[in-house]
Amino acid sequence: MMTARQTWTKLLIEVGETEAFGNLSTVLEKLVETIVLSILATTTAAFCALFCAMLGSRTTQINAWLGFIVRMIASFFRNVPVVAWALVLVISFGHHVITGYFALFFSTFGLLVRMFIDTIDEASSDGVEALNGVGATYLQMVFKGVLPETLPQLLSWIFYMIETNIRSATLVGLLTGTGIGYLFDFYYKQLNYEMLGLITFVIVVVVFLIEWMSNRVRRIIS
């Protein structure tokens, strides 16, 4: 009769010898590619979205018509699903990582413009009025009034979109043949449930870790 410790050790050895854990390095490599793609698409979209949000917000807009145009453009990008972007861009760029990047960028840009505009309008109207009252320039109003008051909330939205885009990048990868989505599709067609379970588990763990990290950062900057 084996002891409980021997039984547990034997079970760990058997699990470690399975095909799924033998391919763990491949899964992690594709996962890193997906995470980097999501972070890159989110951060670049956030930079562009912040600029457009300043023009589109009723608190900081330079011209009413320009603000209206910016909001309409953002609404268009926001209302096209990321899957639709991926399908359209596959025709132009083929099955390439750049296709996934632009699909995530466009959908993230539209969402962040709307979120940033709402944040600016809600959080900084009093400060902007006070700065305008003492004759501050537009750039002084932005960097001294708007950004200091809204930065914690803006960063919260950026972290939220990174979490969302990691999940979306998996779906986009199914269509573009890149990242962790490609592996998921590959093993799904083979009906390899061990690998599918491992890939799903790794994605869930990464999303939880990023959420935990973003919560800690938000507490620090709040």
Side-chain angles (χ1 to χ4, degrees):
M1 294 290 293
M2 290 191 299
T3 64
R5 182 175 181 179
Q6 290 173 330
T7 303
W8 179 246
T9 302
K10 181 180 178 182
L11 179 61
L12 289 177
I13 293 174
E14 291 176 351
V15 170
E17 292 176 348
T18 60
E19 179 189 357
F21 279 84
N23 293 327
L24 181 60
S25 60
T26 303
V27 173
L28 294 178
E29 179 183 347
K30 290 296 183 180
L31 182 64
V32 170
E33 179 183 323
T34 300
I35 294 173
V36 171
L37 177 66
S38 302
I39 294 175
L40 181 62
T42 304
T43 51
T44 52
F47 179 81
C48 297
L50 181 59
F51 175 77
C52 291
M54 292 296 177
L55 300 177
S57 169
R58 291 179 174 82
T59 302
T60 58
Q61 65 184 5
I62 299 175
N63 179 275
W65 278 107
L66 179 60
F68 174 78
I69 293 172
V70 168
R71 290 193 295 272
M72 289 300 100
I73 293 174
S75 179
F76 168 75
F77 282 101
R78 182 174 64 252
N79 287 298
V80 178
V82 65
V83 175
W85 280 119
L87 291 173
V88 171
L89 293 170
V90 161
I91 300 174
S92 301
F93 298 102
H95 296 278
H96 195 273
V97 67
I98 197 69
T99 305
Y101 167 79
F102 279 118
L104 293 173
F105 175 89
F106 290 148
S107 61
T108 303
F109 169 78
L111 287 169
L112 285 181
V113 171
R114 173 60 184 274
M115 295 169 182
F116 287 176
I117 286 176
D118 291 343
T119 300
I120 293 171
D121 286 341
E122 292 173 3
S124 59
S125 57
D126 293 338
V128 169
E129 290 178 2
L131 287 170
N132 287 334
V134 297
T137 64
Y138 183 81
L139 291 180
Q140 289 174 333
M141 178 263 293
V142 170
F143 289 102
K144 299 293 185 180
V146 176
L147 291 181
E149 290 188 29
T150 60
L151 185 60
Q153 187 62 36
L154 298 180
L155 290 176
S156 296
W157 283 122
I158 293 173
F159 281 120
Y160 169 76
M161 289 308 304
I162 290 176
E163 299 169 21
T164 302
N165 279 343
I166 290 177
R167 294 188 291 268
S168 298
T170 303
L171 179 59
V172 170
L174 293 172
L175 303 172
T176 61
T178 59
I180 198 72
Y182 165 75
L183 280 186
F184 189 92
D185 183 54
F186 177 78
Y187 288 111
Y188 176 78
K189 291 176 180 177
Q190 292 186 344
L191 300 180
N192 190 330
Y193 297 113
E194 284 187 358
M195 286 300 300
L196 291 176
L198 176 63
I199 291 170
T200 303
F201 174 75
V202 169
I203 293 172
V204 171
V205 169
V206 168
V207 170
F208 274 114
L209 285 175
I210 291 178
E211 183 177 2
W212 175 78
M213 291 172 58
S214 65
N215 288 336
R216 286 185 60 86
V217 172
R218 281 196 290 262
R219 291 193 199 101
I220 293 172
I221 64 178
S222 297

